[in-house]
Amino acid sequence: KTMTDHKTSKEQKYDRQLRLWGDHGQEALENAHVCLINATATGTEILKNLVLPGIGSFTIVDGHKVSGEDVGNNFFLTSSSIGKNRAQAATELLQELNGDVSGNFVEESPDKLLDNSPEFFHRFSLVIGVQLPESTYLRLGSVLWEAGVPFLICRTYGLIGYMRLIVKEHTVVESHPDNALEDLRLDQPFTELKHHVECYDLDNMEKKDHSHTPWIIVVAKYLEKWYSEHNSQLPKNYKEKEAFRQLIRAGILTNENGTPEDEENFEEAIKNVNTALNPTKVPSGTEEIFNAEQCENITSQSPSFWVIAHGVRDFVRNEGNGNLPVRGTIPDMIADSDKFIKLQNVYRDKAMKDAAVVSKHVEALLQSVGKPPESTSEQEIKLFCKNAAFLRVVRCRSLFSICDSEMVLYLMLRSIDRFYQQHSRYPGVYNYQVEEDINKLKLCVNSLLQEYSLNVNVKDDYIHEFCRYGAAEPHTVAAFLGGSAAQEAIKIITHQFVPFNNTFLYNAMSQTSATFQL
Amino acid sequence: YSIPPTMAQLVGPLRKELADSLSSCRVLVVGAGGIGCELLKNLVLAGFKNIEVIDLDTIDVSNLNRQFLFQKKHVGKSKAQVAKESVLRFCPSANITAYHDSIMNPDYNVEFFRNFQLVMNALDNRAARNHVNRMCLAADIPLIESGTAGYLGQVTVIKKGQTECYECQPKPTQKTFPGCTIRNTPSEPIHCIVWAKYLFNQLFGEEDADQEVSPDTADPEAAWNPADAAARATASDQDGDIKRVSTKEWARSTGYDPVKLFNKLFKDDIMYLLTMDKLWKKRKAPLPLDWTEIQQIEDMLIVETLRSQLIEKGEGAELVWDKDDPPAMDFVTAAANLRMNVFSMNMKSRFDVKSMAGNIIPAIATTNAVIAGLIVLEALKILNSDFDQCRTVNLRCYSFDTLKPELHHVLSYLTYLCICFSHLV
């Protein structure tokens, strides 16, 4: 046996993606069971992008038989599968992509399943409905809404790609924000930090130590000086911050001739004054979460997100003195390793202490609703505390809400649905239909406009275009949408990053897209 | 069907002439990896008939999470070749030529490039991109350049005389470190990791004069005065131990004895560094390690494995460092961490060392799928001679968040109000 981690072939295979969402993200993926409705090109492309990274299992629901046209745009259907059930044919080939994934199929139309056993859909982590007619996705939407199963609707229509997300409540602990501010507590130093800063005596240090003192300590020391001259008030405006920066600059050591030495750590301190003195407070997003009804009323059914949130809230109101648990990380900085590590440990230890207190609150909470303390893990609580400032909850409107702002493409897609409702087919599928369907489609558009009292002028160009599309599903657009939809699906399954809320439209010709909330 | 099935889905949305030209034109795909696999699939299903693909690489296990034309049984085989075979399984009518070769091979001259109506890059390194860029300019063939890293991606069209080329804008160069930082005064884990990679080559691989690991006596920082520096430099030239006997030869003479190696690298050499006292005036001095105190059995075994690998290869052989070869990766992890320990740095996990040593870029299926889709859509515009409609697309895939408009720009032109279909009607 060597030092080599006996990496399983799975770890080797997934190495490049583990570096993006971590082991716990991968675990979430491997515990998920996704349902795809309709193994069209778009559907199989989405599934390919979930099978490759190792989704736990998938089930394809599709009552259609494979047609010649299907083979033309779908990589996962071959001419030998023509006539076979499409769900079965696609499952076989998708399964080959990754032996770790278990694939299933149901040779049934979703409408039949909704008629006979709608509970069938309750077992899934996520349902993805592709190329569904309006009546079906409305029915399915209602079932999934009640069951709390996220529903992602996707459609490739000619050169348009469309996605809609419907989920009552989706919580995100790891939102991975772009430019997070550090949690340094310089305005409200906790006891251990105060003690640690006291250990430094900048005025009586050897030059080597002076130049390698972490900037955080430097700022803390000069803040004390500032407080003594400014009635213990933080520098607030630009003028004061500038004066504070000058105060620090004056502390840079000079050589025999009076020229300032090269002290990069002091330069760092000066540079960071702007952000380092931001008052510590609970961000509004987190505050909203604390005030939410689900956080207030914890029951035995509450998901752990809300239980832990309540625990953190208790901490904030008591031991935290109005502040969140300390995050525990500090940025890289110029310092000698010894000083840096010591300072890092001060923050790290405090973070662990705070998380332990939160744990106690959570335990008490779980007990009060009759659940065992193991219901939430240490790891979960630590992760939550570390991300307490970045929590997000996404709530998407159900499909039945009335939308008051519509974009032209969305309108056209709704008109297409209306057309299907009236004529049991999509416009322009056969060449000879294109001309006559133009007027029929126009009627659908106008009736929708009237219904929603919209005063929009839809150019004839759009109506002609959508007739020409003939409900085609070009592979290239399906591939693009396949990647985009799978990415959102992974966000939903791993609860990392923030999913879109709630409508996405892609125009393949102008290479433009838009996300809006309907 | 009066139209072949592959075209059926496109003829509606596209002009007939465009749909026809797809089947006759010849395209070149450079690279059969993450983007390449998705791209080949998209091209074939879009109706492209004549495709040539080139890639010098072979398939690795870490490719399997996204390069879906490859399966476990294909590990070790040529990417271009297996990609071709997999695509043909699903689309037997496609005419694909595969080259297991480097695009920089002079056989692929300007004449070769002139055979194509379009070239699409699916590369992962700058040298090849620069090369293809110049070939396409010379041959005056349109090029679609693309790249992905984690959740980010980009697609750009390059056409001589119409757009800027790949080398028009200066690109940031890869970070290199000065020799004395690596050899004498590392201050960050990356310095120790680079040192460990150099050490691997010095001991087991191709010796490189630019990859010295022993203390650098000619370090200008070590000299108290210029004369001193000159004296040290000449002394090191004459001094047999450090310069004249190569590290590899010395190691072989000890039979790659792990204890001897350890003592030289982490005790004797460090003690030598300590004699260069000027270096430690402003810095924390390194602490030599003692074998008897540390006793890493595992380290001995790694050296043993590498030694037997070298012996297997025979006299005068050299090992090539590969991040996905476990003993080689273990060696660098161990050596780097030991050095970090010596220089009082927090040590790094094997996972992190691998990232840094191997310059690993995270990669997933979804980003490549999106980018490859966009590439073909740009390709269609090029074949339509619609250069003014071509777009550079930047993908920031991890947030479609409407609440933060500054974060949200999936594509660089968000003008959904000005949708205009007319140019393709």
Side-chain angles (χ1 to χ4, degrees), chain A residues 4 17 19 48 178 468 487, chain B residues 12 38 65 330 355 366 407:
Chain A
T4 313
Q17 68 202 37
R19 290 163 199 281
K48 156 177 77 66
D178 268 335
R468 268 185 354 95
Q487 191 55 45
Chain B
E38 296 280 342
N65 77 327
D330 287 340
S355 269
T366 46
L407 279 187

Side-chain angles (χ1 to χ4, degrees), chain B residues 84-98:
Chain B
K84 167 186 167 171
E85 284 159 15
S86 299
V87 172
L88 286 177
R89 258 183 77 199
F90 298 106
C91 310
S93 61
N95 176 20
I96 306 182
T97 311

Side-chain angles (χ1 to χ4, degrees), chain A residues 21 95 131 176 188 264:
Chain A
W21 51 66
Q95 179 73 86
Q131 316 294 85
H176 298 292
Q188 299 182 42
E264 278 184 69

Side-chain angles (χ1 to χ4, degrees), chain B residues 283-303:
Chain B
R283 291 186 186 89
K284 178 163 175 127
L287 300 161
L289 296 177
D290 193 294
W291 175 261
T292 52
E293 282 176 8
I294 305 219
Q295 281 283 9
Q296 296 278 25
I297 312 289
E298 294 94 342
D299 294 345
M300 290 180 75
L301 287 168
I302 298 166
V303 177

Side-chain angles (χ1 to χ4, degrees), chain A residues 265-334:
Chain A
N265 59 329
F266 268 70
E267 297 297 342
E268 263 190 333
I270 291 165
K271 205 169 67 160
N272 280 290
V273 160
N274 246 350
T275 49
L277 300 180
N278 280 348
T280 306
K281 64 176 199 285
V282 178
S284 55
T286 309
E287 198 62 66
E288 268 177 48
I289 287 171
F290 287 161
N291 294 332
E293 198 263 324
Q294 300 93 315
C295 182
E296 179 64 50
N297 303 321
I298 300 297
T299 70
S300 56
Q301 307 301 318
S302 299
S304 59
F305 178 90
W306 295 111
V307 176
I308 304 177
H310 190 116
V312 175
R313 192 181 77 167
D314 286 343
F315 172 91
V316 171
R317 290 179 183 174
N318 295 294
E319 299 89 346
N321 292 321
N323 287 324
L324 294 169
V326 166
R327 197 178 307 158
T329 54
I330 57 175
D332 281 332
M333 60 188 70
I334 311 268

Side-chain angles (χ1 to χ4, degrees), chain A residues 60-343:
Chain A
I60 303 184
V61 169
D62 197 342
H64 297 93
K65 298 236 181 299
V66 179
S67 71
E69 271 189 15
D70 282 331
V71 175
N73 71 347
N74 194 328
F75 191 76
F76 296 95
L77 297 174
T78 58
S79 37
S80 60
S81 43
I82 294 180
K84 274 168 84 171
N85 168 260
R86 201 164 60 177
Q88 180 175 14
T91 300
E92 283 164 13
L93 288 176
L94 280 166
Q95 179 73 86
E96 277 185 26
L97 289 175
N98 192 342
D100 300 331
V101 176
S102 94
N104 315 283
F105 60 90
V106 172
E107 296 180 28
E108 193 75 88
S109 80
D111 284 304
K112 267 273 180 56
L113 286 170
L114 285 166
D115 289 334
N116 299 330
S117 49
E119 339 68 62
F120 167 80
F121 292 103
H122 292 190
R123 75 193 67 181
F124 300 111
S125 330
L126 169 68
V127 173
I128 303 175
V130 163
Q131 316 294 85
L132 290 175
E134 189 180 35
S135 57
T136 312
Y137 68 67
L138 285 178
R139 282 180 77 194
L140 194 48
S142 144
V143 167
L144 296 174
W145 180 266
E146 292 315 311
V149 175
F151 184 25
L152 183 61
I153 297 176
C154 300
R155 180 183 233 159
T156 297
Y157 198 93
L159 294 169
I160 305 298
Y162 165 78
M163 286 199 292
R164 169 75 183 254
L165 176 64
I166 303 118
V167 55
K168 224 189 264 181
E169 180 184 283
H170 176 80
T171 57
V172 181
V173 172
E174 294 172 277
S175 56
H176 298 292
D178 268 335
N179 296 306
L181 285 176
E182 301 287 344
D183 182 25
L184 302 175
R185 305 288 167 120
L186 284 167
D187 62 325
Q188 299 182 42
F190 46 92
T191 319
E192 296 87 337
L193 180 59
K194 264 200 270 224
H195 285 330
H196 185 75
V197 171
E198 268 160 34
C199 299
Y200 284 85
D201 182 4
L202 286 178
D203 297 326
N204 291 309
M205 264 182 171
E206 264 196 42
K207 180 157 173 311
K208 182 163 73 164
D209 286 321
H210 196 263
S211 321
H212 286 87
T213 298
W215 70 257
I216 293 177
I217 306 284
V218 172
V219 171
K221 283 291 192 193
Y222 281 90
L223 198 55
E224 279 167 21
K225 260 206 183 110
W226 175 275
Y227 279 156
S228 64
E229 293 159 20
H230 289 86
N231 201 19
S232 298
Q233 294 293 314
L234 272 173
K236 280 190 201 57
N237 49 42
Y238 176 79
K239 200 158 151 224
E240 288 181 358
K241 284 188 179 172
E242 188 53 39
F244 184 63
R245 278 190 279 266
Q246 290 312 320
L247 186 63
I248 298 177
R249 186 167 290 287
I252 295 179
L253 293 177
T254 52
N255 64 17
E256 320 76 68
N257 303 333
T259 32
E261 296 275 18
D262 189 15
E263 297 208 281
E264 278 184 69
N265 59 329
F266 268 70
E267 297 297 342
E268 263 190 333
I270 291 165
K271 205 169 67 160
N272 280 290
V273 160
N274 246 350
T275 49
L277 300 180
N278 280 348
T280 306
K281 64 176 199 285
V282 178
S284 55
T286 309
E287 198 62 66
E288 268 177 48
I289 287 171
F290 287 161
N291 294 332
E293 198 263 324
Q294 300 93 315
C295 182
E296 179 64 50
N297 303 321
I298 300 297
T299 70
S300 56
Q301 307 301 318
S302 299
S304 59
F305 178 90
W306 295 111
V307 176
I308 304 177
H310 190 116
V312 175
R313 192 181 77 167
D314 286 343
F315 172 91
V316 171
R317 290 179 183 174
N318 295 294
E319 299 89 346
N321 292 321
N323 287 324
L324 294 169
V326 166
R327 197 178 307 158
T329 54
I330 57 175
D332 281 332
M333 60 188 70
I334 311 268
D336 65 52
S337 306
D338 192 51
K339 294 189 178 65
F340 179 80
I341 292 175
K342 285 210 169 85
L343 180 62

